[in-house]
């Protein structure tokens, strides 16, 4: 016996349900589910994926029995809708749509308005009262049908510009041109009628066949075309990429068309079961009488509010559905309640009222802001609609960002037009006067005037100004440039790589988007979107939500992976701790040489760098020890009881070479040599590719005394705290290693000092060089922990200098060569291999190896999920991303348990 | 029954042979083998590795039966030597040495002069006629024995500086100090006798035990200590590293001591069965009467020649062994014949004559120069001593280098003292006047004056001067810096990274090793060793050997892997072809922008780089096409019939930005903009890490027109040649790819042009970015061939910028953190993983994937061997290394067949 190929849905009976996704496709299963809930869905039927397979198996022939089943289902559909397909008086129109098991957006075909022909047109004109409406629908049917059914499905591959669709569009353009109009909507009913005749003639001319004027022929043409589109070029190559098997096939959904624009008893609207911007538990939406779905969103007519309580200043004067058509409103409100109790989440609803009758076109989980997501999760939990586990999954980690930074008021931003676009490097919004130098930023902040620091790109000398500014805007640099890293570390609004921006510091002006602004002019930045606006936009602080804390406590009930922070100062450490960090995953010793208060330590470091011989160098190193100890001690104290991973000095020394004459002279005096000699010694350190130069452990090996000094300072700091009754937990991490022999070189120095001072301390390494990942089994012989430096691992793995990708990254993203910036989210396909390989090999040598990640991606939710799956013990990220990482880690754990 | 633990060797009977390496250890098996050949080896016996295992199994006790076996073997030894162990009149002394299956140099212990005690001392004094000789031997015994047997073997671990050996050395120092002498040799017999007494007292004091005065006790102490040293710290950690199993154990060789310094009927010498410098089939060596082995090499006394026919100017006045002691000479000569016919290779022999009796201490395959290796291989083949396969393995590939370049006469070099050391970047020798600029080098060459170009480091603008100079010397840069790459490509003598070198171009001077030299002074470079000499050293041309061609023909009979060349010009292509290259593995399109004759193309390229908009840029690209076509055509023609892999433009554009004002002005005029604007556009291209910046395919994607132009030029060049009856075989290679999507972006451009022009051409990619290696399976979906760019793969894999490793590479090599410069020889452990992974994954996708390597290491023998084992189809290297790679490939194939 042949299997059942056709499943009806609608008020007269529904055969399928949501569980039959494989058989009915995603769309078919959802339509069935809505019908089962008793919702007024336009009736129709689904032809199964099995039928598609049979269709191809029989050489593109409909299998036996299908015709009868379709006829029976069509009859049920007609009954449900009270209309008749192909009927001259009361004609039913249908759509024919694809629906695969998993969504293949835009890859397959759709035909709308099927059933419109010379026999049915007059009846529809009579019913709708609009000749224009009917001929417009007819024109669309001819276009879609000739293109999809008569050309593509027949395997015709016309030369570029010779396809039937393009040629029909030319006819329309010619008519508009002849009439001197530009908009389709300016065409009259007569125009459209004439156009339909031209269309049909052109179809005949191009394809050698008449456009079918029989409703049943149209129906079967539409069904066959959807099946055939499963093996269309686009769909096949999409399946190759996504790994979808060819044998799955697609279902076909034949569904009654309903029209909200069929006169003044018709309407259309969209609604949310709760407010998607605030989360308020109030039914919220908009509707328009005698309109189609696209009219609501197009913005030409102002939509009316759904009900009285959600009216606002823009639409207060308009009649709500609640007062206008109270019955429809009540029906819709009941549906809203039904949907929420069924789906247990906020629903985004599309509805149409055709001649007073309400139809549900779609319902799905609604998009929402972070604030709304948090409020809804907590409300639904209180309502006992959902449990804690589900509540935790209801807020996307990235949405938390919004709750942690001031933002531009979205309403205010909607009305403004940005003059410049760049990369969104630091989240939130900022507003202030333009300053072009770090000094000006500091002065402005001192004077109580908020400012935006605008630079070509920033360097360590700008750090004070960056701290003082509300926001930062640079013309160059990528998402992990200096400016971006520093800004994110501080949770500061920042836009980088705004390539169009031209700065003339001498003139005190900047130019972009045809505007020239000068120092002192006010601008506003949206660092979340990378947009800059002229003037002051209204700001708002979204972090006031009292439920944030409760939510995060709940999150930690499910989290199993640690979340640490990258922090170099007691202040950062305290912020991170307040955000729930489990420790510090990366403390950069070099931080003490940047920014305010660093002058003395920096000067000694420079003496070390420019030393003329080992004796001078070692003396400078010894002089540096108290500073190192002081800074580490302060942070260890702030993190008392929690682990603090201290990375030994990492950057190439040339970064610290002074350029300014005064500094050079001071240095020359201290070193008792000429300024020229100081310059020369500095210049000798210049490197062609400093990222792959003399840095990290390579410095620690060349200057073993430097290594010794640092280790001693760290352990002495811990010892002093311990003596004072504290519980310091330092871990020492060696950077830039590529062979275990580097670790083995430093280890005896570590062992000796540790034995001397007697402080417990783990000894580990960054895994940031590809070779170290490949040889992780050997690295783990000496290393007690690994920490993935995914910034460098990505740089070396891709051969992408993060300072220089500005030159081609946007091309790569635009041309889809890369799916995402790999410095923002771990490239799981490539760099991910190095990570999983390291974890596996490292733990093979040392089963209890502690493994974390301290690259920028440690705060990216997708990367946190990947780290969890890879078996890492913790991620580490900038303080402001700690809550995001905590949530992502909890969600990963929940997902894994499923 | 207990196994046989002791194997005797010597004239009274030898139990073992060379096949028993596992049982007798390497040394023991060799000693047995020499005895079996009838050579007069000082007699002795080997205690087996099995005995060692039994010793440890029984808790460091000698197994039952060993004592008796040793006694029996000692008796045989005494008989063979005509002396008696522990005898007051005619005492036999022995050594106790380790001997594992595979060599563990210096990891285990040795005790010499065992058997010397108060009972045997007088007899030995009488026999040797020298009290000083005997007490010196006794002093050495006490030192070695107390250190090895009484301290180390007992597991005593003294604090640093407190070991018994150090304390004994203090006594000797104190005595020398008291006597006001500095050399050990100035101590008299009385001094030494007194010292021996002090030594014994100190041993008692430090170790609490008497130094044993009984010969048999000494013997067993020595045997036990060697066994115990198998589990000494050094040996254990060496075994861990080398993967040698603990259960193998070591053998102990107890062998009679013989002395060449026992009066005027004693002598010692070294000999080679053929001349190791020239390969001449003449017995060659040196000897000294009444001397120890070290005296021959120490150079205090001039050694005498072995025979009349090999006398030279230095030793013509001295008596040869042949005339002095003709019987001993004849015996030695017979041994030489016997050894050559047995080992079928030139032997390096150590011999001692004790009281007129000849003893063979050692024989092994002798080291030789490249010339000698080639001559011996061809001679022995003619003599039918060896077959072709063996002849091919007899020349080390690296030795061929010597045959291809002029060198400093080794005799002349021996007497000279270098004033500067650097990295040996380009092989051979060169002598000429110092010049400091490229222009001066060109002028000097034009004037017929050979010169050495001395620079801080070189850049593309120095290329003409480098070509003109005999040799190149730079203060900076590593083995793969610009200077090194260019020099090796030309087979030119070159030293780079001579860090000590200070150049003052303004003064026209350079300083190093305390010497200041000026332009015009003559220096000589040894580029093979990295040494620079003041003045002119004698040069010689070793490439005249007529057998080279015949040898290389033989090599190719065994070779299965292809050897291509990296060549960018028809000249280089012709040289490589004459050296037997199978094609070009890397043609760099950018070559046309460097050096003489490049002005016009470079100017157009600069117009492209500095273009103000796409239109200007594309116009410049089109203008460039004829140049690209011209250059590629010429090289395709030179390589007619052989494949030529053309790499699309690779370097970052900033490399070509002009600095010089004239060039800037010309460019500004051509582009119709200001010089400042040109400068700004150039400066905008500056990158922090250009090696990981906008280069390779990244340029080809941003500027797709550039890609198209190049592909068209290559295929049109081939089409024109084909039309002219030639057989061009171009292959197009995309550089710096990290994802297959880059290849997929360029592929349609390639397909379109190929379809248009109709030339067969493979489309492939470099694998030089770690990510490309990790995703090789995907890369091979589009790529028809891979070529490993091991320079970049090593840079990214290690995170080593090859331009900057000068800062730490020498530290890394000195401290054994790296075993070799990974830019010279493939790091098989790390980078090798990426290569084997790529081969495996690539061929899984595309079984016929053609795979080669075009990095610098393609000419390194160890790397060639690795490439062969990894299944590569070819290696590609600079023209002068083609013969080396051919030989290495042949040897790899021979090795694999075994």
């Amino acid at each position: 016996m042949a299997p059942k190929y056709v499943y009806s849905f609608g008020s007269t009976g529904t055969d399928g349900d949501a569980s039959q996704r494989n058989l009915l496709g995603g769309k078919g299963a959802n339509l069935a589910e809505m019908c089962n809930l008793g919702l007024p869905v336009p009736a129709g039927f689904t032809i199964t994926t099995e039928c598609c397979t049979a269709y191809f198996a029989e050489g593109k022939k409909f299998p036996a029995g299908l015709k009868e089943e379709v006829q029976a289902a069509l009859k049920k559909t007609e009954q449900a809708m009270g209309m008749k397909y192909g009927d001259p008086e009361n004609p039913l129109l249908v759509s024919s749509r694809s629906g695969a098991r998993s969504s293949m957006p835009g890859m397959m075909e759709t035909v709308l308005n099927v059933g419109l022909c010379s026999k049915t047109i007059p009846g529809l004109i009579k019913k709708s009262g609009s000749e224009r409406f009917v001929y417009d629908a007819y024109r669309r049917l001819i276009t879609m049908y000739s293109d999809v059914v008569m050309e593509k499905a027949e395997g015709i591959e016309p030369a570029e510009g010779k396809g039937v669709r393009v040629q029909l569009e030319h006819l329309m353009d010619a008519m508009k041109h002849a009439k001197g109009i530009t908009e389709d909507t300016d065409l009259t009913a007569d125009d459209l009628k004439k156009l339909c005749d031209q269309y049909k003639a052109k179809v005949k001319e191009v394809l050698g066949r008449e456009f079918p004027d029989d409703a049943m022929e149209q129906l079967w043409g539409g069904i066959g075309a959807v099946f055939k589109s499963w093996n269309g070029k686009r769909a096949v190559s999409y399946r190759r990429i996504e790994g979808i098997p060819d044998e799955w096939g697609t279902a076909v959904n034949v569904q009654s068309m309903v029209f909200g624009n069929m006169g003044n008893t018709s309407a259309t609207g969209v609604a949310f079961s709760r407010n998607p911007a605030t989360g308020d538990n109030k039914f919220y939406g908009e509707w328009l009488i005698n309109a189609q779905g696209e009219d609501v969103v197009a913005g030409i007519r102002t939509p009316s509010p759904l009900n009285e309580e959600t009216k606002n200043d823009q639409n207060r004067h308009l009649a709500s559905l609640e007062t206008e058509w109270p019955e429809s409103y009540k029906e819709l409100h009941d549906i809203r309640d039904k949907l929420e109790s069924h789906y247990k989440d906020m629903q985004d609803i599309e509805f149409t009222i055709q001649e007073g009758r309400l139809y549900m076109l779609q319902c799905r989980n609604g998009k929402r802001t972070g604030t709304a997501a948090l409020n809804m999760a907590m409300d639904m939990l209180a309502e006992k609609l959902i449990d804690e586990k589900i509540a935790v999954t209801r807020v996307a980690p990235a949405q938390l960002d919004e709750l942690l930074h001031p933002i531009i008021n979205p309403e205010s931003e909607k009305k403004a037009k940005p003059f410049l676009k760049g990369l969104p490097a630091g989240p939130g919004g900022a507003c202030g006067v333009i300053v072009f130098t770090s000094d000006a930023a500091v002065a402005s902040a001192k004077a109580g005037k908020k400012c935006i620091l605008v630079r070509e790109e920033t360097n360590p000398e700008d750090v004070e100004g960056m701290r003082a500014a509300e926001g930062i805007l640079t013309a160059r640099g990528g998402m992990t440039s200096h400016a971006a890293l520093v800004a994110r570390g501080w949770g500061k609004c920042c836009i980088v790589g705004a390539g169009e921006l031209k700065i003339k510091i001498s003139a005190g002006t900047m130019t972009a988007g045809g505007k020239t602004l000068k120092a002192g002019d006010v601008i506003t930045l949206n660092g979340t979107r990378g947009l800059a606006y002229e003037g002051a936009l209204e700001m708002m602080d979204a972090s006031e939500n009292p439920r944030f804390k409760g939510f995060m406590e709940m999150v930690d009930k499910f989290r199993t992976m640690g979340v640490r922070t990258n922090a170099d100062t007691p202040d950062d450490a305290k912020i991170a701790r307040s955000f729930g960090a489990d420790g510090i995953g990366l403390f950069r010793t070099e931080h003490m040489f940047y920014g305010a208060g660093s002058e003395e330590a920096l000067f000694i470091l420079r003496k070390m760098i420019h030393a003329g011989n080992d004796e001078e160098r070692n003396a400078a190193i010894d002089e540096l020890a108290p500073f190192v100890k002081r800074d580490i001690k302060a942070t260890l104290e702030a993190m008392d009881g929690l682990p603090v991973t201290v990375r030994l000095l990492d950057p190439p020394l040339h970064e610290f070479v002074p350029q300014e004459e005064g500094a050079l002279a001071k240095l020359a005096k201290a070193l008792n040599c000429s300024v020229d000699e100081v310059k020369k010694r500095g210049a000798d350190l210049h490197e062609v590719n400093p990222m792959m130069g003399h840095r990290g452990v390579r410095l620690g090996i060349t200057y073993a005394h430097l290594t010794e000094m640092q280790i001693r300072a760290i352990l002495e700091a811990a010892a002093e705290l311990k003596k004072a009754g504290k519980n310091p937990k330092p871990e020492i991490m060696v950077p830039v290693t590529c062979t275990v022999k580097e670790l083995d070189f430093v280890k005896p120095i570590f062992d000796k000092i540790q034995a001397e001072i007697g402080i417990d301390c783990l000894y580990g390494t960054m895994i940031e060089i590809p070779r170290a990942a490949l040889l992780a089994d050997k690295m783990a012989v000496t290393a007690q922990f690994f920490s993935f430096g995914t910034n460098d691992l990505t740089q070396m793995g891709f051969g992408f200098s993060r300072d220089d990708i500005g030159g081609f990254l946007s091309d790569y993203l635009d041309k889809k060569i890369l799916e995402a910036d790999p410095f923002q989210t771990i490239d799981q396909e490539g760099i991910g291999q190095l990570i999983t390989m390291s974890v596996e090999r490292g733990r093979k040598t040392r089963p209890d190896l502690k493994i974390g990640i301290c690259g920028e991606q440690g705060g990216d939710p997708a990367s946190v999920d990947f780290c969890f799956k890879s078996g890492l013990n913790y991620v580490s990220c900038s303080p402001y991303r700690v809550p995001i990482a905590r949530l992502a880690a909890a969600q990963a754990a929940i997902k894994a348990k499923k």
Side-chain angles (χ1 to χ4, degrees), chain A residues 347-359:
Chain A
Q347 295 298 301
D348 170 350
I349 295 162
E350 286 177 32
F351 65 91
T352 282
I353 298 170
Q354 180 176 288
E355 300 182 309
R357 187 163 165 190
L358 175 69
Y359 291 102

Side-chain angles (χ1 to χ4, degrees), chain A residues 364-664:
Chain A
R364 55 184 172 190
N365 291 341
K367 290 200 190 326
R368 63 206 74 179
T369 65
T371 310
L374 182 71
N375 283 332
M376 285 179 196
M378 297 308 273
D379 281 347
M380 289 185 186
L381 182 67
E383 295 161 24
K384 300 209 192 309
L385 202 58
I386 57 176
D387 62 13
E388 287 194 334
K389 187 192 277 186
I390 290 175
V392 165
T393 64
R394 281 290 165 80
V395 181
Q399 289 183 316
L400 285 186
D401 218 20
E402 212 183 293
L403 300 163
L404 302 169
H405 303 286
I407 59 170
I408 306 179
N409 185 320
E411 294 303 317
S412 161
E413 190 167 7
K414 243 187 224 165
K415 292 174 217 146
K417 201 172 134 26
F419 70 98
L420 178 67
K421 195 166 169 20
L423 299 172
C431 178
V433 298
I434 296 170
V435 294
F436 291 115
T437 66
S438 181
D439 288 348
V442 173
S444 180
K446 268 193 190 150
K449 213 170 179 180
K450 292 184 173 180
C451 66
I452 306 289
L453 178 61
V454 180
R455 303 283 290 161
E456 277 291 330
E457 57 195 328
T458 67
N459 61 47
E461 292 173 17
D462 293 322
V463 164
E464 267 185 278
M466 294 168 76
R467 174 79 84 171
E470 286 295 298
I472 299 146
L473 170 63
T474 75
R476 298 214 213 148
M479 288 298 287
T480 45
S481 60
H482 178 263
L485 289 176
V486 172
R488 274 204 296 284
W490 291 337
K492 186 157 290 207
C493 174
C494 175
I495 298 175
V496 299
E500 242 195 90
L501 181 65
K502 306 288 168 209
I503 302 171
K504 275 197 187 165
I505 294 202
S506 54
T509 63
M510 58 178 250
T511 309
K515 284 182 201 292
T516 296
L517 300 172
K518 55 186 195 304
D521 288 350
V522 172
I523 57 173
T524 304
L525 307 184
N526 181 335
T528 310
R529 297 171 63 201
L531 301 175
Y533 301 89
E534 203 182 342
L537 269 59
E538 191 192 334
M539 304 297 299
M540 61 183 269
D541 192 348
S543 73
E544 316 286 294
N545 196 318
R547 292 157 141 189
F548 177 69
K549 222 179 142 228
F551 180 76
M552 290 311 297
E553 275 166 12
M554 199 163 67
V555 159
D556 277 355
K557 290 188 194 166
F558 297 93
R559 178 165 68 93
T560 56
M561 183 169 66
V563 173
R564 297 195 188 179
T565 189
N566 301 346
D568 311 320
T569 65
D571 287 352
D572 284 349
K574 279 172 202 154
I575 293 171
R577 219 177 163 151
S578 78
F579 279 140
D582 302 318
I584 289 181
L586 178 63
F587 174 95
R588 287 164 282 234
T589 41
E590 58 269 21
H591 177 84
M592 69 186 63
F593 306 117
Y594 298 128
S598 67
E599 295 78 6
E600 206 179 342
L602 181 60
F603 179 68
I604 301 170
L605 180 73
R606 286 172 171 173
K607 281 203 295 187
M608 179 205 119
I609 292 173
H610 295 79
N613 54 48
D614 286 349
E615 203 179 325
E616 273 179 28
R617 181 173 305 108
N618 291 346
I621 290 171
D622 291 336
E623 232 185 301
L624 214 46
F627 295 89
V628 177
K629 184 156 82 176
R630 177 198 67 190
D631 278 28
I632 287 166
K633 189 174 171 184
T635 298
L636 277 174
E637 190 168 14
M639 273 287 165
D640 193 44
L642 296 176
V644 174
T645 307
V646 182
R647 183 177 72 183
L648 300 180
L649 196 69
D650 180 74
L653 297 182
H654 191 256
E655 272 194 15
F656 302 100
V657 167
Q659 304 302 332
E660 189 246 322
E661 289 297 331
L664 286 164

Side-chain angles (χ1 to χ4, degrees), chain A residues 21-44:
Chain A
R21 201 179 174 88
N22 290 357
L23 187 66
L24 305 180
K27 181 186 276 291
N30 282 343
L31 286 166
E33 186 75 3
M34 281 203 284
C35 291
N36 287 330
L37 282 176
L39 305 191
V41 173

Side-chain angles (χ1 to χ4, degrees), chain A residues 302-303 311-318 411 415:
Chain A
T302 303
K311 278 188 165 179
N312 62 29
D313 292 345
Q314 272 80 46
N315 61 20
R316 202 170 300 285
H317 61 290
L318 298 170
E411 294 303 317
K415 292 174 217 146

